[in-house]
């Protein structure tokens, strides 16, 4: 694990580090943030989701997304996030449309939603539709998880994983369950890169199987980007700029070819289009060649998804290229 204590300095631009703009490739992933409603309020949440949030997809935008899924066979994966995606309007209609078209559907679940009234059928629903579950479990130890996500979240998560195992997840090759590791938000300038994904995955698998009989497919290690609640906590401790500089210092050019923003569209609950979920949270829209912001409606009118030349970048993008890299699918190299 790399550690460093760094004084604030000028942060280089991401494009300067690359020596050129970051280019978009053929779009194959449609990631949809269905809304901000969630049954949890996690300290590291870059979406700032929670039980008091009410923003969610409208029927009009849902219909546009269903139309897009039907019209563009190049979309191979529909990635549903939130908030708790299961709580927000459009979740099941979009799942139905994507699965009917033979597309992979990822649901980024907090697992504890299974125990909320009205959502008890989710384990069966996930299995019946062969949804790929990507679930946050920021540590395999109870105390660390509850500190980040709330009291009792660890035990609910363990029970939910056992339910998914009973439905075939972690055993059936068509029922994939992946876990996500997030490091604690830094509290001092002794920053560190995310631990190696392979070694940590072995530790997770050994501990969860030995203590709870739980099996899962892969562990994804994701760097905390200085966005949302993480940004708030860093600024509160005057660590925001030092943390950005630390990430920039550990930029790995070998990760750039694999960045998730290059082949995906990120859509918010209003139907606005972004290059990635992080840009979405920062209000940085994807632009066409003429510099105009894009929406799902405008893409449908154009009849093509490949209208973006350059990805919009900011200094927080170094969070995705530091060390082994970071994406919604874990490390990049």
């Amino acid at each position: 694990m790399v550690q460093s204590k760094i004084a604030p300095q000028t942060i280089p631009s991401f494009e300067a580090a690359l020596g050129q703009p970051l280019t978009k490739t053929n779009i194959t992933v449609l990631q949809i943030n269905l809304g901000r409603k969630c049954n949890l309020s996690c300290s590291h949440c870059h979406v700032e989701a929670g039980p008091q949030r009410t923003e969610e997809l409208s029927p009009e935008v849902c219909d546009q997304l269903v139309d897009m899924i039907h019209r563009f066979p190049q979309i191979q994966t529909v990635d549903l996030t939130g908030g708790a995606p299961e709580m927000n309007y459009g979740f099941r209609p979009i799942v139905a449309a994507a699965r009917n078209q033979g597309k992979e559907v990822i649901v980024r679940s907090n697992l504890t939603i299974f125990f909320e009234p009205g959502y008890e059928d989710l384990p069966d629903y996930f299995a019946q539709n062969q949804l790929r579950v990507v679930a946050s479990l920021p540590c395999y130890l109870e105390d660390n998880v509850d500190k980040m996500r709330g009291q009792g979240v660890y035990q609910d998560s363990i029970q939910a994983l056992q339910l998914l195992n009973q439905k075939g997840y972690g055993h059936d090759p068509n029922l994939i369950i992946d876990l996500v590791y997030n490091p604690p938000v830094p509290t001092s300038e002794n920053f560190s890169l995310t631990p190696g994904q392979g070694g940590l995955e072995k530790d997770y698998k050994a501990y969860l199987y030995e203590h709870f009989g739980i099996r899962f497919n892969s562990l994804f290690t994701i760097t905390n980007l200085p966005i949302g609640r993480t940004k708030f906590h860093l600024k509160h401790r005057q660590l925001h700029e030092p943390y950005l500089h630390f990430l920039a210092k550990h930029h790995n050019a070998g990760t750039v070819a694999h960045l998730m923003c290059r082949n995906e569209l990120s859509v918010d609950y209003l139907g606005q289009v972004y290059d990635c979920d992080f840009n979405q949270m920062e209000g940085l829209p994807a632009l066409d060649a003429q510099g105009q912001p894009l929406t799902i409606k405008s893409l449908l009118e154009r009849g093509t998804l490949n209208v973006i030349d350059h990805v919009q970048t900011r200094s927080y993008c170094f969070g995705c290229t530091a060390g082994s890299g970071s994406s919604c699918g874990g490390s990049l190299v």
Side-chain angles (χ1 to χ4, degrees):
M1 186 181 294
V2 179
Q3 294 187 329
S4 177
K5 183 177 176 69
I6 298 171
Q9 299 179 33
T10 302
I11 311 300
S13 77
F14 191 73
E15 285 194 4
L18 267 58
Q20 61 184 10
L22 183 62
T23 55
K24 206 80 167 175
T25 59
N26 184 53
I27 300 299
T28 60
V29 178
L30 180 64
Q31 186 176 70
I32 306 167
N33 188 303
L34 295 170
R36 306 294 176 87
K37 291 198 298 184
C38 189
N39 59 313
L40 301 178
S41 293
C42 301
S43 63
H44 62 285
C45 181
H46 70 280
V47 180
E48 300 183 72
Q52 306 306 316
R53 303 299 293 264
T54 59
E55 307 95 318
E56 65 178 338
L57 206 67
S58 68
E60 179 185 9
V61 174
C62 181
D63 289 344
Q64 292 170 358
L65 288 164
V66 168
D67 189 12
M68 174 171 283
I69 289 166
H70 281 95
R71 286 176 57 182
F72 295 100
Q74 72 188 76
I75 298 173
Q76 299 171 10
T77 299
V78 176
D79 187 344
L80 301 177
T81 183
E86 307 95 327
M87 293 183 72
N88 291 273
Y89 182 85
F91 174 69
R92 298 198 187 209
I94 290 172
V95 167
R99 294 303 294 143
N100 286 339
Q101 294 296 308
K103 301 182 189 301
E104 177 189 44
V105 177
I106 296 172
V107 54
R108 297 188 181 271
S109 180
N110 66 34
L111 298 177
T112 66
I113 189 66
F114 295 177
F115 308 110
E116 296 290 335
Y119 300 97
E120 297 92 343
D121 71 324
L122 282 174
D124 285 322
Y125 178 79
F126 285 5
Q128 289 163 5
N129 289 278
Q130 297 185 346
L131 305 187
R132 181 170 185 168
V133 182
V134 176
S136 178
L137 192 70
C139 185
Y140 53 78
L141 300 175
E142 182 170 7
D143 187 53
N144 290 348
V145 171
D146 285 357
K147 282 180 179 177
M148 292 178 71
R149 309 192 69 201
Q151 194 66 33
V153 168
Y154 180 82
Q155 287 298 330
D156 283 350
S157 298
I158 292 298
Q159 187 178 347
L161 288 169
Q162 290 171 331
L163 282 172
L164 290 173
N165 277 176
Q166 292 168 19
K167 305 299 178 185
Y169 278 92
H171 307 277
D172 186 328
N174 294 312
L175 299 177
I176 306 298
I177 170 74
D178 301 315
L179 301 184
V180 174
Y181 165 86
N182 290 92
V185 177
T187 57
S188 73
E189 290 190 27
N190 292 314
F191 305 124
S192 60
L193 296 175
T194 303
Q197 186 164 284
L200 193 58
E201 178 179 291
K202 291 178 181 177
D203 292 341
Y204 262 72
K205 286 187 171 181
Y207 187 90
L208 293 176
Y209 185 73
E210 178 183 349
H211 289 82
F212 306 108
I214 289 171
R215 296 181 184 273
F216 66 94
N217 294 91
S218 299
L219 179 74
F220 299 154
T221 56
I222 297 182
T223 299
N224 286 324
L225 266 69
I227 292 171
R229 291 191 184 119
T230 297
K231 182 179 180 179
F232 171 82
H233 289 299
L234 289 170
K235 284 195 167 186
H236 180 71
R237 297 182 175 95
Q238 298 183 319
L239 294 172
H240 181 243
E241 287 195 10
Y243 184 59
L244 282 172
H245 189 85
F246 170 79
L247 295 174
K249 182 180 179 182
H250 292 93
H251 169 67
N252 179 357
T255 64
V256 174
H258 309 290
L259 288 172
M260 63 182 185
C261 57
R262 302 192 68 199
N263 70 320
E264 81 167 22
L265 298 178
S266 173
V267 182
D268 69 9
Y269 61 90
L270 297 172
Q272 300 169 138
V273 176
Y274 305 82
D275 292 306
C276 70
D277 189 52
F278 304 118
N279 280 358
Q280 181 181 145
M281 295 310 122
E282 288 290 291
L284 187 64
L287 305 175
D288 65 13
Q290 288 72 46
Q292 296 301 308
L294 296 165
T295 64
I296 291 298
K297 183 179 179 181
S298 69
L299 290 173
L300 288 170
E301 289 171 349
R302 295 171 189 233
T304 178
L305 303 182
N306 296 320
V307 301
I308 304 168
D309 292 332
H310 298 148
V311 175
Q312 298 298 301
T313 62
R314 293 294 186 270
S315 54
Y316 53 75
C317 297
F318 287 114
C320 293
T321 63
S324 296
S326 177
S327 76
C328 289
S331 63
L332 298 175
V333 295

